Amino acid sequence: MAGLVLLVAILVVGVLAPVISPQNPYDLAQLDVMDSKLAPGEKSPDGRTYWLGTDDQGRDMLSGIFYGLRISLGVGIASTVFALAIGLVFGLVAAYFGGWVDTLVMRIVDIQLSFPAILIALVLLAVLGQGVDKIVVALVTVQWAYYARTVRSSALVERQKEYIEAARVLALGQARVVFRHLLPNCLPPLIVVATVQVAHAIALEATLSFLGLGLPITEPSLGLLISNGFQYMLSGKYWISFYPGLALLLTIMAINLVADQLRDILNPRLRK
Amino acid sequence: MSGDPLLRVEGLRMHFFTKAGVVKAVDDVSFSVGRGEILGLVGESGSGKSMTGYSILGLIDPPGRIVDGRIDFDGIDLTRLDAAAWRAIRGNRIAMIFQDPMMTLNPVLRIDTQIIEAVQAHADVSRESAIARAREALVRVGIASPDERLRAYPHQFSGGMRQRVAIAIALVNGPDLIIADEPTTALDVTIQGQILFEMQKVCRESGTALIWITHDLSVIAGLADEVCVMYAGRFVESGTVADILDRPLHPYSRGLIDSVPSRNERGRPLRQIPGMTPSLLSLGPGCPFRERCTSASPRCVESPDVTEPSPGRRLRCFHPSA
Amino acid sequence: MLAYAIRRFGQSFFVLVLMSFLVFVGVYAIGNPVELLVNPQADDAERIRATAALGLDKAFLEQYWVFLKGAASGDLGRSFVYNVPALSLILDKLPATIELAFVAMVIAIALGIPLGLVAGLKPDSILGRGIMAGSILGFSLPTFWVGLVLIMVFSVQLGWLPSNGRGETVTVAGVPLSFLTADGLLHLAMPAVNLALFKLSLLIRLTRAGTREAVLQDYVKFARAKGLTQGRVIGVHVLKNILIPIVTVIGLELGSVIAFAIVTESIFAWPGTGKLLIDSINQLDRPVIVAYLLVIVTLFIFINFVVDVLYSMLDPRVRLGGAASH
């Protein structure tokens, strides 16, 4: 429950970032270099208080985090939705048709999953370059295989069941059998996997941005904020990195908590 | 049997303290087994017969706990022993055999390891002499080419062979008592007979007492000296095998005997006990069988005491059949 | 066994060639390295000469063919930036990465299995719950953020541990190692812990789940009925069974530890292959990127093979090559 409340709060902040932020951190006209690297709670010469401090360009960290959340959540959710759609189609096709189609799809999935996601994403980004669209492509590429495998395994279980046989005997169209009968029964495990994967995607995006390979500085996600603050860490100006990191951590934990609860709710074996 | 029995269980109560409430898995059970004697402990699944066996070995895990009663074994009250002393008896003087031989042997350890560790847990002997004893035990339970078998893994054995190995492990330290928890139920009928015969022979030869836990009265008939019947965690009645099978006094025992198929009554529908075993969680006072009992009367809401209608015969019922 | 090994190597070789092609296609698409390498004031003639010197004027397939021919004789090309063989550049840095990954894995195993056992044997105790909560946290924390916090606490605030480099090394059989000197150990501590944390959480979960399942099995009860000590029941009967999935996962995760070392090496300026990769990507040093990936993939394949062999040694029911068991 706490996880859900936290997650909703984070989502609201992300969506409403432009409305609730004290400043637009990327409107250079609103920034004042005189305010740079202020500690949390410190007042600027013109009397404004920066509750979470400012970065090297005098940007309000609180506003930066709100905008960063927006980008991180957007990238995480968008890549998950696309990956889910692609994985769903391939998983269902593999399970429904079987034979060489199944072998081919699953062999690709196996090979891909035998490499760490971060390595694949890193190489892809090295090839594609920076940008929101590119990181979404990279995240979709590393994620679709999980969904394909999850969908296939639950679809295979469903396929054995009598009602699918019955639907086939009734000569219902193949597409109808797949989408009206197989799909709904594969959804519960998929929802859980997808929720966890949103958290993974956000963490991965942050990691890649931290390494300087994810998003450009014009579209700063939480990872980029952390990366930007890293150079000031050793001189004791911890807040530039620390608070965006905390926001990232809370987001990932909230999603994982909700995923755990979903797992319990959707798992009929645990429902008593 | 004269003199002190080898094992005397008196008023044993073992309860599970779960979140949903107290489950009285064993609730006031008493019986005794003499040296070299075979006792059949009979009841349906959930009657607490296996839990009685585990209690004697001190294998009850939390939230289960022995709350009352004595388990006198050769003059020692086991319930008063500390963990180490109880462990020293377990597998040494009292051994146990389980129901499913496919599950009781550790799949990733060789047979020799699993026998030798049983020997070395109780005796400070060399590996060589432990192997010698292991080989001897395998031969006793009728396993040919024991040396080859010792180096094998459980998955290379059939179910009947695995159960023989489990019996060999139980026998290897020459125990005074073996508790066998339905050791033939999971086996083919022909193998069942062999194992039964083997066990009986080995116990008679070595003077080992045996508690044979089962739901199957037909097994008991040719095996046991004495029988103790349990129902819903409680003691029902006990006596010699002839007494119980030919002249059951408790309506539940009678029901059990009537539901065994018999050649003499071919073509007649089997009689069965109506209703189901009650949940141990919601079990109140009174005779737990009264809901299903044809002889029940309003009096049965109270718990009957154990009576001794004839020497060596014990019973807990207000309405014994004549 | 032999037939199995041959088949496995055949498959691995195919994956390797496929990978090299994909990587080559991909890396080929990365910008023009000549722009980064030659003097910005250079004229066109000089650019063309530089392009030809790097072999970049040839058609794509020809470049790939040259690469394959070289690869067959162990030559993965020369680094554009350092002008030394890419492979030797990688192999120079590899010991640092393997040392880091290995120490991280040892930490994860040495802590993860005992903690997981405790959590699995006493799931409802305060200790068991605490361990689980810790492992959930370890799962949620992004590696690089933990690294930052470690630096913040132990280097900046407390000043106990150095935040970058390998420190003093000792050369053993031509390989420099940090963990043999006190200074090296201090340098190794934070990166190794950082890299270990995620695997530690994973191993705790895995061991706990395996233990909870194993203690309910009849063979554990039977082992106790034999009068074995608690130590032997858990240390031999339970542990040997749960080790089977654990070894598999450890093997599979070894590859990802090496991959995640990229992040840890970047944070702690650990001079390993991961840092080299990031630098090479930023400098468009194609041969080094390709060489890195091929070396890592080869390493993965080797690790997977070793895991399979270990697996068959642990589980008598599995015999490699599908030999019939009854």
Side-chain angles (χ1 to χ4, degrees):
Chain A
M1 200 55 209
L4 190 64
V5 171
L6 187 59
L7 184 59
V8 169
I10 289 170
L11 284 172
V12 168
V13 167
V15 171
L16 296 181
V19 183
I20 57 172
S21 297
Q23 63 167 217
N24 178 348
Y26 300 97
D27 179 3
L28 293 175
Q30 292 186 28
L31 302 184
D32 185 350
V33 194
M34 298 296 291
D35 291 354
S36 76
K37 291 181 266 184
L38 291 177
E42 212 174 309
K43 270 193 166 57
S44 72
D46 59 7
R48 288 174 62 176
T49 308
Y50 296 102
W51 294 110
L52 296 184
T54 60
D55 70 1
D56 51 332
Q57 296 182 44
R59 197 173 282 141
D60 174 34
M61 285 317 298
L62 188 65
S63 308
I65 289 169
F66 286 175
Y67 275 76
L69 261 181
R70 188 180 165 84
I71 295 174
S72 290
L73 287 169
V75 167
I77 293 170
S79 61
T80 303
V81 169
F82 286 124
L84 183 68
I86 295 172
L88 197 63
V89 170
F90 277 97
L92 281 180
V93 164
Y96 187 79
F97 291 103
W100 68 268
V101 180
D102 186 28
T103 311
L104 181 71
V105 172
M106 290 327 287
R107 191 51 57 87
I108 295 172
V109 165
D110 283 345
I111 290 178
Q112 199 194 314
L113 288 183
S114 69
F115 294 102
I118 188 164
L119 198 62
I120 296 174
L122 210 62
V123 173
L124 268 174
L125 284 174
V127 172
L128 297 172
Q130 291 186 328
V132 170
D133 49 343
K134 283 150 189 149
I135 197 152
V136 170
V137 168
L139 292 177
V140 169
T141 311
V142 297
Q143 287 186 53
W144 76 276
Y146 291 104
Y147 299 113
R149 189 149 80 178
T150 311
V151 170
R152 175 179 173 272
S153 58
S154 39
L156 277 184
V157 173
E158 286 303 321
R159 213 170 84 109
Q160 311 296 328
K161 295 191 179 159
E162 284 178 13
Y163 73 93
I164 295 287
E165 201 52 44
R168 285 187 161 187
V169 171
L170 289 172
L172 298 180
Q174 288 191 333
R176 194 184 155 84
V177 173
V178 171
F179 286 102
R180 291 292 298 277
H181 296 274
L182 273 184
L183 182 61
N185 286 291
C186 302
L187 280 180
L190 207 58
I191 291 169
V192 174
V193 174
T195 319
V196 176
Q197 283 297 322
V198 172
H200 278 182
I202 290 175
L204 192 54
E205 177 273 316
T207 306
L208 294 164
S209 295
F210 175 79
L211 293 172
L213 291 166
L215 293 169
I217 194 70
T218 50
E219 288 160 303
S221 67
L222 293 175
L224 210 61
L225 292 178
I226 297 167
S227 171
N228 180 44
F230 183 41
Q231 49 189 311
Y232 303 107
M233 184 78 104
L234 291 177
S235 52
K237 296 187 173 46
Y238 67 91
W239 61 89
I240 309 179
S241 260
F242 182 76
Y243 289 117
L246 205 60
L248 178 67
L249 179 66
L250 286 177
T251 308
I252 293 171
M253 279 196 11
I255 296 173
N256 281 342
L257 282 173
V258 170
D260 266 358
Q261 262 159 14
L262 274 179
R263 198 193 321 267
D264 292 349
I265 294 168
L266 293 174
N267 188 344
R269 279 187 302 161
L270 291 174
R271 209 184 301 157
K272 278 179 186 167
Chain B
M1 295 289 150
S2 62
D4 268 354
L6 176 68
L7 178 85
R8 184 199 294 278
V9 175
E10 266 311 321
L12 181 70
R13 292 177 202 267
M14 196 282 288
H15 297 176
F16 284 101
F17 297 88
T18 67
K19 279 179 191 143
V22 178
V23 177
K24 296 176 177 172
V26 180
D27 201 30
D28 196 3
V29 169
S30 307
F31 58 84
S32 61
V33 188
R35 286 177 194 281
E37 203 180 87
I38 299 179
L39 171 80
L41 193 55
V42 180
E44 292 166 289
S45 46
S47 62
K49 56 194 195 305
S50 296
M51 288 303 154
T52 306
Y54 291 147
S55 299
I56 295 169
L57 278 167
L59 287 180
I60 300 297
D61 292 317
R65 190 154 47 89
I66 294 176
V67 289
D68 195 19
R70 296 170 62 89
I71 304 171
D72 285 318
F73 174 74
D74 203 15
I76 317 158
D77 182 2
L78 297 180
T79 60
R80 291 173 185 278
L81 293 181
D82 62 17
W86 209 330
R87 184 187 68 73
I89 288 179
R90 196 150 67 214
N92 190 21
R93 302 199 57 202
I94 309 178
M96 186 153 182
I97 305 166
F98 291 75
Q99 179 171 4
D100 189 350
M102 300 311 223
M103 311 294 287
T104 48
L105 296 176
N106 193 321
V108 300
L109 297 177
R110 283 195 343 197
I111 300 299
D112 55 358
T113 313
Q114 302 196 44
I115 307 185
I116 290 166
E117 66 178 6
V119 176
Q120 291 186 330
H122 300 287
D124 189 13
V125 294
S126 69
R127 198 183 143 79
E128 285 67 38
S129 53
I131 291 176
R133 283 168 67 175
R135 189 184 300 122
E136 193 190 324
L138 287 183
V139 172
R140 274 174 75 193
V141 296
I143 288 179
S145 57
D147 289 302
E148 191 186 314
R149 295 304 191 176
L150 276 172
R151 284 189 301 274
Y153 285 96
H155 71 273
Q156 293 164 315
F157 286 57
S158 67
M161 284 291 269
R162 287 191 214 192
Q163 197 59 292
R164 282 170 200 264
V165 171
I167 294 168
I169 292 174
L171 285 171
V172 75
N173 288 320
D176 299 313
L177 171 67
I178 293 178
I179 299 171
D181 187 1
E182 308 214 29
T184 57
T185 318
L187 302 173
D188 289 347
V189 180
T190 48
I191 311 290
Q192 271 187 27
Q194 288 175 17
I195 297 279
L196 209 58
F197 173 75
E198 212 82 59
M199 277 299 286
Q200 207 171 2
K201 190 181 94 183
V202 166
C203 287
R204 295 280 184 234
E205 279 170 8
S206 58
T208 308
L210 184 63
I211 297 178
W212 193 279
I213 298 171
T214 185
H215 64 276
D216 189 349
L217 275 172
S218 55
V219 169
I220 290 297
L223 177 77
D225 305 308
E226 301 270 327
V227 176
C228 170
V229 183
M230 285 181 70
Y231 182 77
R234 314 225 180 144
F235 170 85
V236 165
E237 72 174 313
S238 66
T240 64
V241 68
D243 278 346
I244 298 289
L245 293 185
D246 299 340
R247 291 176 299 281
L249 293 179
H250 196 287
Y252 173 64
S253 319
R254 203 178 54 219
L256 268 186
I257 291 161
D258 285 347
S259 61
V260 174
S262 155
R263 273 185 300 185
N264 305 336
E265 302 178 25
R266 197 180 307 176
R268 274 177 49 184
L270 285 175
R271 266 168 293 180
Q272 54 175 0
I273 308 174
M276 298 200 334
T277 26
S279 158
L280 291 181
L281 196 60
S282 54
L283 203 58
C287 175
F289 189 61
R290 65 179 186 275
E291 304 285 334
R292 303 169 72 185
C293 182
T294 46
S295 322
S297 73
R299 224 183 132 194
C300 297
V301 296
E302 292 163 43
S303 265
D305 285 329
V306 174
T307 54
E308 202 164 338
S310 59
R313 194 91 206 259
R314 284 150 66 89
L315 171 74
R316 192 202 286 279
C317 185
F318 289 125
H319 310 288
S321 21
Chain C
M1 179 68 200
L2 185 68
Y4 172 80
I6 291 171
R7 202 169 65 228
R8 269 300 290 267
F9 277 116
Q11 284 170 1
S12 307
F13 184 73
F14 174 73
V15 171
L16 209 55
V17 172
L18 189 74
M19 272 295 297
S20 78
F21 184 75
L22 289 176
V23 166
F24 208 81
V25 171
V27 172
Y28 188 81
I30 307 179
N32 185 356
V34 176
E35 294 298 328
L36 280 171
L37 291 170
V38 299
N39 188 330
Q41 275 94 48
D43 57 13
D44 280 351
E46 205 170 318
R47 277 161 209 270
I48 290 168
R49 206 167 46 247
T51 308
L54 297 175
L56 295 175
D57 54 339
K58 299 192 180 82
F60 168 72
L61 278 179
E62 203 180 337
Q63 285 188 39
Y64 182 60
W65 178 241
V66 170
F67 167 79
L68 273 189
K69 274 200 297 198
S73 59
D75 174 12
L76 296 178
R78 291 180 85 81
S79 161
F80 294 163
V81 178
Y82 303 97
N83 197 29
V84 293
L87 188 61
S88 69
L89 204 57
I90 305 278
L91 294 182
D92 270 358
K93 306 273 188 187
L94 201 56
T97 298
I98 291 186
E99 181 181 26
L100 179 62
F102 185 76
V103 173
M105 214 62 203
V106 168
I107 292 174
I109 294 168
L111 291 177
I113 294 179
L115 288 178
L117 270 176
V118 171
L121 291 172
K122 305 236 174 261
D124 294 322
S125 67
I126 294 172
L127 191 59
R129 285 171 189 274
I131 291 169
M132 259 328 262
S135 96
I136 291 170
L137 198 66
F139 256 148
S140 297
L141 298 168
T143 306
F144 74 99
W145 192 74
V146 177
L148 292 185
V149 172
L150 285 177
I151 289 180
M152 196 171 98
V153 174
F154 292 100
S155 296
V156 181
Q157 303 288 330
L158 299 171
W160 290 353
L161 294 169
S163 68
N164 62 68
R166 289 185 78 179
E168 200 182 319
T169 57
V170 173
T171 306
V172 178
V175 178
L177 295 172
S178 291
F179 75 97
L180 294 173
T181 69
D183 183 52
L185 273 180
L186 283 180
H187 280 81
L188 191 55
M190 278 200 297
V193 167
N194 181 217
L195 192 53
L197 208 59
F198 190 83
K199 303 301 159 200
L200 174 62
S201 307
L202 185 72
L203 280 180
I204 287 176
R205 286 193 152 204
L206 208 65
T207 311
R208 176 179 178 269
T211 307
R212 290 195 68 177
E213 206 179 304
V215 291
L216 298 176
Q217 300 294 316
D218 274 1
Y219 61 75
V220 169
K221 204 140 204 169
F222 188 58
R224 289 171 64 199
K226 286 195 260 184
L228 304 181
T229 58
Q230 187 78 351
R232 185 163 174 100
V233 172
I234 292 165
V236 176
H237 286 262
V238 172
L239 200 60
K240 199 151 184 222
N241 273 282
I242 62 175
L243 269 185
I244 293 168
I246 289 175
V247 164
T248 316
V249 171
I250 288 175
L252 295 176
E253 293 297 321
L254 213 55
S256 100
V257 168
I258 290 172
F260 265 95
I262 297 170
V263 181
T264 301
E265 286 176 9
S266 297
I267 298 169
F268 295 94
W270 186 263
T273 50
K275 200 170 172 317
L276 178 68
L277 176 71
I278 297 291
D279 292 345
S280 302
I281 289 174
N282 288 327
Q283 293 164 328
L284 299 183
D285 199 346
R286 286 186 200 166
V288 179
I289 300 174
V290 174
Y292 171 88
L293 289 172
L294 290 185
V295 167
I296 293 297
V297 170
T298 311
L299 208 59
F300 280 12
I301 289 169
F302 175 71
I303 290 169
N304 278 339
F305 182 73
V306 171
V307 170
D308 275 2
V309 171
L310 271 182
Y311 190 87
S312 73
M313 277 162 56
L314 271 177
D315 190 345
R317 290 162 295 188
V318 177
R319 283 285 171 253
L320 293 182
S325 64
H326 39 106

